[in-house]
Amino acid sequence: MKLSLPLLAGALFAATPAFSQAPIPVGHLMDNSGPTSDVGVPYGQGVADTLNWVNQTRHGVAGRPLAVSGFDYGYQAPRAVSQYQSWAQRERVVAIQGWGTADTEALVRFVTRDRIPYISASYSAALTDAGGQSGRRGVEPAPFNFFYGPSYSDALRGMLQWAAEDWRARGQQGRPRYVHMGANHPYPNSPKEAGEALARELGFEVLPAIQFALTPGDYTAQCLTLKNQGANYAYLGNTAGSNISVLRACQTVGVQVQFLGNVWGMDENAMKAAGTAANGVVFPVRTEAVWGGSGPGMDTVRAISRVSDPTGNVYRPVHYLAGACAAMLMVEAMETAASNGGQVTGERIRDGFYARQNWVPNGFQGVCTPSTFAATDHRGTMRVSLYRARVTDNAGQGSLQELVTAGAMALEPVAAIDLPRRADWLGW
């Protein structure tokens, strides 16, 4: 269905005298109603507000408005593939802001064939092998796939390096025990083997993986298994909705483990919902700042936020900021394509992603982590910034802004891990 939700602040394009040329068609795939909508909504809102703001304040790209077609596919990969065909064949989009892993990976061959840059919210490492050089089974060249932030695999590698240092810093003896937890699904499975391989390399004992669904439920049995295994570090591979259920169940049965959340596995909304069960969870944050930070970049993001919140009072979770950064990478790649009178085509937009080193969108300094993309390596960053969720007993009452202001919730910086750009990690 075509999106017509008040959440997304209405249409992203309206003809005005400021626009003198034909609009630039862009697709925006979202999950606002499916099993990952808990994190899909704030991310999609960040993308939508940013593209709307570009039209309002920058007159689009090179005087051409962005005509953004939004579609809520409910996290159903076949619907995403069907919508892609409509965008590519009828609307002739030149770029797409995408979402999930299963659908993004299913579309790799299509976007490569059609030469349409696809900037997804899936950080599957398989998408980083732009030149097809890894030779890994099941990984095909993805020259038109991009994403903002470290891959799922690299984010997990960063957390495991931190965990190994944490184990030593706390004076623990013997080998720490690590376990992967998540649904049997392409998204949580994406970094599983890479994480387990590095865990062994770092001296962890790797325990049998524990499965739980992408939807909320009663996961007492999984928590009892986790407790009986004696795990020290557990990776939560699902989105926040089902992770909340696990955290609550594990708190109830008295599990003592350091949880490591994936990038979609924890945020401020999850902290509020899980309460003290979320206290202490360590997870990666893609941006250099969280809501409430200062500096020129945050001023820009606050202006963007007013597109859908004219009051300026709504607290924006970490995913909103990441959505804004992802949208701006696409916009500036388009601007590069349009420079010197150039046409805004898929190939020229793709090449625009290669035009800058340590790339921070203009006006987003201190918010968007620098990105560097190469024609054969689409790992935009190897930096993994880790935060810890801090939640007190009274975190269930009030809005996010009220809870953060009162100190009932906080995101505490833990470490910034700079990973080596190992060739054997490309695409994995």
Side-chain angles (χ1 to χ4, degrees):
M1 63 181 177
K2 290 294 181 183
L3 194 71
S4 57
L5 298 177
L7 173 70
L8 291 176
L12 295 181
F13 161 59
T16 70
F19 297 124
S20 58
Q21 301 182 56
I24 300 172
V26 175
H28 181 196
L29 188 71
M30 298 163 283
D31 180 13
N32 287 335
S33 59
T36 64
S37 59
D38 52 328
V39 292
V41 167
Y43 181 89
Q45 187 72 70
V47 171
D49 285 355
T50 302
L51 299 181
N52 203 336
W53 174 82
V54 167
N55 276 345
Q56 292 176 2
T57 65
R58 298 190 177 186
H59 308 306
V61 171
R64 298 176 62 187
L66 302 175
V68 184
S69 173
F71 183 78
D72 174 14
Y73 77 121
Y75 206 61
Q76 299 176 44
R79 294 185 68 201
V81 174
S82 176
Q83 180 61 27
Y84 171 81
Q85 300 293 356
S86 174
W87 279 335
Q89 296 172 13
R90 290 200 290 272
E91 299 183 43
R92 302 289 183 181
V93 299
V94 296
I96 296 172
Q97 288 282 326
W99 179 246
T101 296
D103 34 281
T104 300
E105 292 183 344
L107 288 169
V108 167
R109 290 186 181 180
F110 292 96
V111 302
T112 300
R113 177 198 66 193
D114 299 331
R115 300 181 179 277
I116 299 175
Y118 197 91
I119 301 89
S120 76
S122 167
Y123 309 136
S124 169
L127 304 171
T128 64
D129 186 7
Q133 296 183 336
S134 69
R136 294 193 176 277
R137 189 164 61 108
V139 175
E140 53 190 302
F144 284 84
N145 286 88
F146 298 89
F147 55 76
Y148 165 75
S151 72
Y152 293 137
S153 297
D154 287 334
L156 177 51
R157 289 176 176 120
M159 286 192 289
L160 286 168
Q161 288 201 7
W162 170 82
E165 295 168 4
D166 174 70
W167 182 258
R168 290 189 294 269
R170 292 191 289 112
Q172 300 295 317
Q173 302 299 314
R175 298 172 63 195
R177 294 178 174 179
Y178 166 75
V179 62
H180 177 102
M181 300 180 67
N184 184 19
H185 181 278
Y187 148 57
N189 281 342
S190 175
K192 181 177 180 293
E193 291 184 4
E196 290 178 343
L198 183 63
R200 293 187 183 96
E201 188 178 316
L202 293 171
F204 287 82
E205 178 184 348
V206 176
L207 303 173
I210 299 174
Q211 288 189 12
F212 67 101
L214 276 170
T215 51
D218 181 2
Y219 298 120
T220 301
Q222 285 85 344
C223 290
L224 289 172
T225 298
L226 183 63
K227 185 175 183 180
N228 292 335
Q229 283 182 339
N232 305 112
Y233 298 90
Y235 175 74
L236 296 173
N238 290 359
T239 57
S242 55
N243 287 349
I244 291 166
S245 297
V246 169
L247 292 170
R248 286 174 170 169
C250 288
Q251 183 184 50
T252 299
V253 302
V255 171
Q256 298 294 319
V257 67
Q258 174 63 65
F259 283 109
L260 307 172
N262 81 93
V263 69
W264 300 113
M266 182 54 55
D267 65 2
E268 297 92 331
N269 285 319
M271 291 162 61
K272 177 183 177 181
T276 55
N279 187 51
V281 175
V282 170
F283 68 105
V285 172
R286 289 145 290 183
T287 50
E288 293 190 334
V290 297
W291 196 254
S294 59
M298 283 303 302
D299 290 342
T300 302
V301 176
R302 277 190 287 270
I304 289 171
S305 177
R306 288 181 178 272
V307 169
S308 59
D309 170 38
T311 69
N313 295 327
V314 172
Y315 182 100
R316 300 298 190 180
V318 291
H319 308 307
Y320 182 93
L321 277 69
C325 291
M328 284 309 302
L329 290 181
M330 181 187 74
V331 167
E332 291 202 347
M334 287 179 165
E335 291 174 344
T336 299
S339 62
N340 300 318
Q343 293 186 346
V344 183
T345 64
E347 285 182 287
R348 289 179 64 84
I349 295 169
R350 175 203 60 188
D351 294 344
F353 276 86
Y354 307 143
R356 305 165 179 84
Q357 301 288 310
N358 297 314
W359 175 17
V360 176
N362 185 36
F364 289 77
Q365 286 75 16
V367 173
C368 299
T369 300
S371 299
T372 300
F373 299 96
T376 58
D377 187 343
H378 282 188
R379 289 178 288 184
T381 181
M382 301 301 292
R383 167 160 285 206
V384 181
S385 297
L386 302 179
Y387 280 69
R388 191 190 307 272
R390 288 301 188 194
V391 189
T392 64
D393 290 337
N394 61 340
Q397 302 299 320
S399 67
L400 291 182
Q401 185 63 63
E402 290 168 342
L403 293 170
V404 171
T405 300
M409 291 185 353
L411 289 176
E412 173 187 282
V414 172
I417 310 295
D418 289 308
L419 296 170
R421 191 175 289 271
R422 283 173 46 170
D424 60 323
W425 287 354
L426 179 63
W428 182 44

